[in-house]
Every structure is written in structure tokens, then in C-alpha cells.
Amino acid sequence: MSDTAERLKALLYELDGMYVFVQPILLMLEICRTTIEILPLDLTDISQELLDQATEQDPTFILVQGNLGIFRKSLLKLYLRTSMRLAELSELPSHEAIRGTSLLLLANPGHSTALNARVRLVESGALSLSYELRWVSLLLLSSKEASKQSILWAYRRRLLVGLAEVFLPRLSSLAAEVSLVLNVCGMYPRNYYAWNHLYLCLEPCILSVDLPEIEPLVEQLDRLKDWVQTHVSDYSAAHHYCCLTAKAQTTKFASSYGIHTLKGIKEHSLSLVRSFPSHESLWMYLRIAVQVQVPDERTQTIRELREELGNYKTQSEYARKLFLWFDFLVNSSF
């Protein structure tokens, strides 16, 4: 058995009376530098080779090249035992509280009591911001359930600004946030919570930056547009990209955003609709691209689209819905 596996085994089974505190989480960021994954109760999708490794190391986990997999059945048992000491969290030594809350969040990533305890640990200095940001990144990627916990994304936003009252992320952190969201959505597609998190990170930066700082924002918008181009079923991505572009066009530096203009997103969405007309998400992308335009331009755009997409009206239910929506816009003051 490897030294790393020995360390994890020792940490997994530290006993405290009738209570088990799972310990690998304390050193997780040092030992497991790549991923953490909760393995299913059904083992049919796990190769025999990995199962053999788990048997050699310990039946509760698999560790392969820095990637840690913990079997859900074992994790749930440890979670129940840990929950028995919830009332003691505030009284535990900081290192024990870190270990306990890490386990609680791994099993239940929306555990508000554990997250509040970790806020206090960060505020007291017992838990560093860099450590916690990295841990939350691994946690968000650990399971579909974790990736769709709005409270966990909100906690990450608090960490990004050092728990400050005013939320304004540093521009230097935006590339990492975009990468995290793209990784999460690559594993768990069409994740509204991830895209909403990214919108809430980018919007205040767009509204507050000066001209010399715009380039990093343009680079991140480029990445979002590329994502929409290659993930034509991800309506959440298209919607938030449209909204961010619209925000950028309300600033005094609107002309500095290059291709990210209201006209640009209309043309982009239209080209995708023509290439992939069977994807409803792209018709919705075109709809939001029209909606974010100013009223006068919107009316002209609707007129042009009626002519350009007239042939689709008899072929596509999505096109017919779009034309009905056009009628609604034209006949209302929206």
C-alpha cells in the first residue's frame, strides 16, 4: 500500500468514542490535487481494475494519480455519525471543525450550518481563503448535486471578495471563475446556477472597470461566446452571455468590447439558428438577443427577421413560436 493510501486510511478511521470524524478532507487539497468524486452505490460503472485498487487500499475510497473517489455508501454512514455532533461545531478546535464540516459538505453540499461554520473559520483566520477557494472548487466538481447548490455558489462569491460587504471580485480572479464554470458545465450540462454565479461575478466588473481594465473582460466574453458556439443546447449559457453583452453596451466604454455588441449577438444567434434549426435553445438565444435591444432597433430587427426566417415558419414549431412572440412585442409596450 502506498504512503498516501496509508495516510488516508489512518485519517478515515480516527475514532472519538462512538463518533467517527473522517479525516482525509483535512489534507485533501495536498493529496488529491486533481478531483474528488462521490462514487455511486451501483458499482457496475466502475472498472474491475479500480475496484481492485480500492480493495488493496481501503474499501471506502479509491485514489488514482491524485484523483480521489469515495464510495457514497461509506460517505453516508460517516455523514450520519458526523451529524450527531452538529451542536458541538462552535466548540470544537478549529482543525476538528474544518474536518467535520468538510465531511458534511462532501455528503450534503447544501449544508448551511457547515457553511456558516466555515465562514467563521475564515473570518477567524483558522482557514485561509486560498485553501477554502480551492476546496470549494473541488467540491463543486465532485457531483451533480454539488454543482447545482445555489448556496454553495453564493458562499464562493463571499470568499472571492474576502467576505467583504460589497461584492466586487478582483479582475485577476475572473479567468479562474470562468474556467471553473466551464468545467462544471462540461461535466453537468446546462447548469443555471453555475452560469448565474458567473454573471454575478462579471456584471459588477463590467459596470465598474476603467478602459485599461477592459481587455481581461473581453477575453472572458470571448470564451463565453465560444462556449455557446460549441454547446448549442446550453440555453443558460446563451442567455447569460446575452445579458452580459447588453450590460457592457450600457457603459461608456461600449465600443471597446469589439464583437460583443447587441448587433453581434443578434447575428451570432441567427447564424446558429440557420446552422442548427432543430435546437430550441438557439431559437431562445435569438429571442433574448432581440429582447435586449433598445426599442427602436428591436422593431427594425423584428422586421428583418420576419423576412430572413419566413421560410422556417412553416417548417419549425420553434420558428412559429418566435413569430408569435414577435407579434406580442410589436403589439405591446414591452
Side-chain angles (χ1 to χ4, degrees):
M1 187 182 299
S2 68
D3 290 342
T4 300
E6 287 282 9
R7 290 171 68 192
L8 282 172
K9 183 175 180 180
L11 293 171
L12 274 165
Y13 291 109
E14 180 178 344
L15 299 177
D16 182 9
M18 294 186 67
Y19 170 74
V20 175
F21 240 47
V22 66
Q23 302 297 331
I25 312 302
L26 180 64
L27 300 177
M28 192 70 71
L29 302 182
E30 299 174 12
I31 298 172
C32 308
R33 299 183 180 275
T34 310
T35 62
I36 303 172
E37 184 175 356
I38 311 305
L39 301 177
L41 295 174
D42 181 7
L43 304 183
T44 55
D45 293 333
I46 301 176
S47 70
Q48 187 59 47
E49 180 182 355
L50 289 180
L51 290 175
D52 291 342
Q53 289 186 39
T55 303
E56 292 174 5
Q57 296 174 6
D58 188 280
T60 56
F61 70 90
I62 299 173
L63 181 66
V64 180
Q65 297 179 347
N67 300 282
L68 181 73
I70 301 177
F71 289 101
R72 181 173 295 278
K73 183 176 181 180
S74 301
L75 181 61
L76 293 178
K77 289 180 180 178
L78 294 167
Y79 173 79
L80 290 174
R81 293 170 178 171
T82 306
S83 299
M84 293 167 59
R85 293 186 66 182
L86 268 180
E88 303 175 29
L89 271 180
S90 60
E91 302 173 3
L92 289 173
S94 60
H95 69 283
E96 290 289 347
I98 291 170
R99 295 168 182 173
T101 54
S102 294
L103 172 61
L104 290 171
L105 289 169
L106 194 58
N108 178 8
H111 202 298
S112 59
T113 301
L115 289 172
N116 287 332
R118 292 181 82 87
V119 168
R120 293 192 292 271
L121 289 166
V122 173
E123 289 175 333
S124 69
L127 192 56
S128 73
L129 273 173
S130 59
Y131 178 107
E132 187 67 349
L133 280 167
R134 190 177 177 194
W135 156 247
V136 173
S137 294
L138 291 175
L139 184 58
L140 285 165
L141 289 163
S142 67
S143 67
K144 182 177 181 179
E145 180 187 3
S147 76
K148 295 192 174 184
Q149 288 291 338
S150 59
I151 190 174
L152 190 56
W153 288 107
Y155 175 56
R156 183 170 181 83
R157 289 193 293 278
R158 290 195 66 185
L159 295 174
L160 286 172
V161 292
L163 305 182
E165 293 297 325
V166 179
F167 181 71
L168 183 60
R170 295 184 298 275
L171 285 173
S172 58
S173 69
L174 293 183
E177 289 309 296
V178 173
S179 295
L180 173 62
V181 167
L182 296 186
N183 285 335
V184 167
C185 292
M187 296 174 67
Y188 313 110
R190 298 179 294 280
N191 190 323
Y192 168 82
Y193 301 102
W195 288 113
N196 187 57
H197 165 77
L198 191 58
Y199 176 85
L200 293 174
C201 288
L202 289 173
E203 183 201 29
C205 295
I206 287 173
L207 296 177
S208 63
V209 296
D210 291 324
L211 185 59
E213 301 170 318
I214 283 182
E215 185 176 351
L217 286 171
V218 173
E219 290 175 357
Q220 302 317 313
L221 288 176
D222 287 342
R223 296 175 70 186
L224 298 192
K225 183 179 179 181
D226 289 343
W227 178 273
V228 173
Q229 180 85 22
T230 55
H231 297 76
V232 294
S233 295
D234 195 338
Y235 171 68
S236 288
H239 175 86
H240 286 92
Y241 169 62
C242 277
C243 291
L244 287 169
T245 300
K247 285 290 182 183
Q249 293 304 303
T250 65
T251 69
K252 59 183 178 181
F253 303 119
S255 61
S256 300
Y257 282 91
I259 61 174
H260 306 293
T261 63
L262 299 183
K263 182 179 179 180
I265 56 176
K266 188 266 288 186
E267 293 177 347
H268 185 233
S269 59
L270 181 58
S271 68
L272 288 176
V273 161
R274 286 172 171 161
S275 299
F276 309 100
S278 62
H279 286 268
E280 183 179 13
S281 57
L282 296 178
W283 292 92
M284 297 298 293
Y285 177 23
L286 180 57
R287 178 187 292 195
I288 192 68
V290 173
Q291 184 175 327
V292 296
Q293 294 188 334
V294 296
D296 290 343
E297 293 181 0
R298 186 189 302 149
T299 302
Q300 178 62 27
T301 298
I302 289 175
R303 187 178 300 112
E304 293 172 356
L305 289 175
R306 285 184 187 278
E307 295 178 3
E308 294 183 47
L309 298 175
N311 292 336
Y312 289 94
K313 190 174 181 181
T314 58
Q315 304 170 15
S316 170
E317 178 66 23
Y318 306 140
R320 288 192 288 274
K321 289 180 179 179
L322 179 68
F323 275 67
L324 287 173
W325 184 75
F326 285 164
D327 292 338
F328 167 76
L329 282 187
V330 171
N331 296 323
S332 69
S333 58
F334 180 69

